[in-house]
Amino acid sequence: MARNNYTFTSESVSEGHPDKVCDRISDAILDAFLAEDPMARVACETFATTNRVVIGGEVGLTDQAKLQQYMGKIDSIARDCIKDIGYTQDKFHWETCEITNLLHEQSAHIAQGVTGERGDEGAGDQGIMFGYATTETDALMPAPIQYSHAILRRLAEVRKSGVEACLGPDAKSQLSVVYENGTPVGVSSIVLSTQHLTEMSSAEVRECVEPYIRETLPEGWISSDTAWHVNPTGSFMIGGPDGDAGLTGRKIIVDTYGGAAPHGGGAFSGKDPTKVDRSAAYAARYLAKNVVAAGLAERCTIQLSYAIGVARPLSIYADTHGTGEVEPAAIEKAIDASMDLTPTGIRNTLELNKPIYQRTAAYGHFGRAPEADGGFSWERTDLAETLKNAV
């Protein structure tokens, strides 16, 4: 039986977190290759530490002879990302940090597995992918992760605008949300650790950030009983990769549902959409969101599974957590009838062969508004009527 009264916690990290710096660079490089070649295959990893960024991975292009001419752009792409995030520290500065590019051409054996012997496109790897949606927020996302992201986005806005120039790029938030009768009604604790560029006490940092946290959370969620932990360790002036090393793909729970739903294990950033651990996770979110938007359930988890080189998913699983208007098996059948879940079908339906990925690298891949150029296309609810009719 599902619990109705409980407290659930999720965290988010800002665009200046060391791992997110790496995600941003990897996705910016992916976007650059897709802008040149929509069929580019990219698996780009980034490592960052004090005054150093190392980029590695593989790239496959329609015209592989062009790979070297694109390589000269990698350095400036990485520096532009670091500059936009806001790092001008002595030991991590966008102008002076050393950047090493170790990208190389895609393995012929991996390329063969994806393309397939008959030329039909198979999945870029084996794996399981999950999507989730719930009615507890307007974005059909779990409240703890949605509002944890929202707090950090708001602080980034006032930092970059100069309104709160004392704040640095590196930050983390965490919310413990109280549920009554299955509905989020408040927060029992708020954790916010943010880099600051001038000497400030924890109390002074709280005085700076508290108004933005209060305006971001729903009215009535903060009470006299809410515990605040703002910069609980004290001074936080050394941030980003100078304070702690970063690596692409280490914040997969932050990227998805904050722990409120399963995760298949595969990271997203730096991977082109032939890699189903990215594109099929987007498809699973799209399907779960449209199931909920169609009124077929108040909560929905979708699982898809794939084998490398095989186009169609091996399985489709739906769980409505006891909130469904129809049997999960009927939803599974409707999904199979309503969307082509081959890698090519997903890319075509969601228009994924576009340079739309750099913007996903911070503040979550889900729960964002779909954009006119195809960004966050998996957040559309244009499949809801089709699924309803199929059921």
Side-chain angles (χ1 to χ4, degrees):
M1 181 179 295
R3 294 183 65 190
N4 288 321
N5 303 307
Y6 56 92
T7 300
F8 193 84
T9 303
S10 294
E11 70 157 348
S12 179
V13 298
S14 72
E15 63 197 81
H17 184 280
D19 295 331
K20 283 293 154 196
V21 172
C22 295
D23 285 345
R24 171 77 174 271
I25 292 170
S26 293
D27 273 335
I29 290 169
L30 168 62
D31 278 354
F33 279 111
L34 287 175
E36 299 286 353
D37 180 357
M39 299 304 293
R41 293 177 184 168
V42 180
C44 178
E45 309 288 343
T46 302
F47 166 74
T49 187
T50 302
N51 272 336
R52 187 72 183 254
V53 172
V54 180
I55 299 161
E58 58 178 26
V59 180
L61 300 176
T62 304
D63 182 356
Q64 198 67 22
K66 293 183 177 180
L67 179 59
Q68 288 308 312
Q69 78 181 64
Y70 298 152
M71 285 297 192
K73 302 177 182 179
I74 301 301
D75 185 283
S76 63
I77 290 170
R79 293 189 192 281
D80 287 346
C81 289
I82 298 167
K83 181 180 180 180
D84 184 68
I85 290 168
Y87 278 114
T88 56
Q89 295 171 198
D90 289 343
K91 294 185 178 180
F92 196 75
H93 194 295
W94 66 271
E95 282 187 308
T96 58
C97 69
E98 183 178 348
I99 296 175
T100 302
N101 175 16
L102 301 176
L103 289 169
H104 57 80
E105 66 181 22
Q106 185 183 39
S107 159
H109 290 172
I110 292 177
Q112 172 184 286
V114 176
T115 303
E117 295 181 0
R118 300 182 306 278
D120 54 330
E121 185 178 74
D125 203 352
Q126 71 177 49
I128 56 175
M129 299 83 205
F130 289 93
Y132 181 71
T134 172
T135 57
E136 64 191 63
T137 64
D138 291 342
L140 303 186
M141 283 287 288
I145 188 66
Q146 192 72 359
Y147 287 109
S148 293
H149 288 322
I151 288 169
L152 294 184
R153 281 200 305 270
R154 182 66 181 127
L155 293 180
E157 289 170 1
V158 296
R159 170 177 65 86
K160 288 185 169 183
S161 71
V163 173
E164 301 294 352
C166 61
L167 299 180
D170 197 353
K172 301 177 78 172
S173 65
Q174 183 172 289
L175 292 179
S176 297
V177 176
V178 177
Y179 287 75
E180 294 180 359
N181 297 318
T183 300
V185 296
V187 288
S188 60
S189 67
I190 298 168
V191 182
L192 190 285
S193 294
T194 180
Q195 183 186 11
H196 48 96
L197 304 182
T198 58
E199 290 286 352
M200 299 175 72
S201 67
S202 295
E204 289 171 328
V205 174
R206 175 173 171 175
E207 184 179 358
C208 171
V209 302
E210 183 173 341
Y212 303 108
I213 294 173
R214 287 185 176 275
E215 74 180 38
T216 299
L217 294 179
E219 186 175 354
W221 274 29
I222 299 174
S223 71
S224 59
D225 294 327
T226 300
W228 289 76
H229 303 279
V230 178
N231 280 25
T233 62
S235 183
F236 181 10
M237 294 186 70
I238 301 172
D242 182 32
D244 192 9
L247 192 66
T248 299
R250 283 203 298 203
K251 288 292 178 282
I252 58 176
I253 301 303
V254 170
D255 285 343
T256 53
Y257 307 101
H263 193 294
F268 300 157
S269 290
K271 297 177 182 178
D272 75 83
T274 67
K275 280 73 171 175
V276 286
D277 40 7
R278 181 171 213 164
S279 57
Y282 289 175
R285 162 63 177 172
Y286 177 62
L287 291 166
K289 186 173 184 180
N290 277 273
V291 166
V292 173
L296 299 176
E298 293 180 8
R299 294 172 57 205
C300 182
T301 298
I302 299 295
Q303 185 205 56
L304 305 172
S305 69
Y306 290 85
I308 188 168
V310 179
R312 288 188 55 78
L314 307 182
S315 64
I316 301 171
Y317 168 80
D319 184 357
T320 56
H321 309 277
T323 70
E325 297 295 320
V326 297
E327 290 297 316
I331 293 174
E332 293 163 0
K333 186 176 180 181
I335 286 171
D336 196 31
S338 300
M339 183 174 176
D340 179 356
L341 289 170
T342 65
T344 300
I346 293 171
R347 290 212 323 272
N348 289 341
T349 299
L350 300 181
E351 304 176 88
L352 298 182
N353 281 24
K354 295 179 177 180
I356 55 173
Y357 297 102
Q358 184 177 175
R359 69 195 74 171
T360 69
Y363 313 120
H365 291 245
F366 307 128
R368 312 278 287 272
E371 298 176 351
D373 66 351
F376 301 103
S377 59
W378 48 93
E379 293 297 313
R380 302 187 314 238
T381 54
D382 54 346
L383 196 68
E385 199 63 29
T386 300
L387 286 170
K388 187 184 296 187
N389 292 337
V391 169

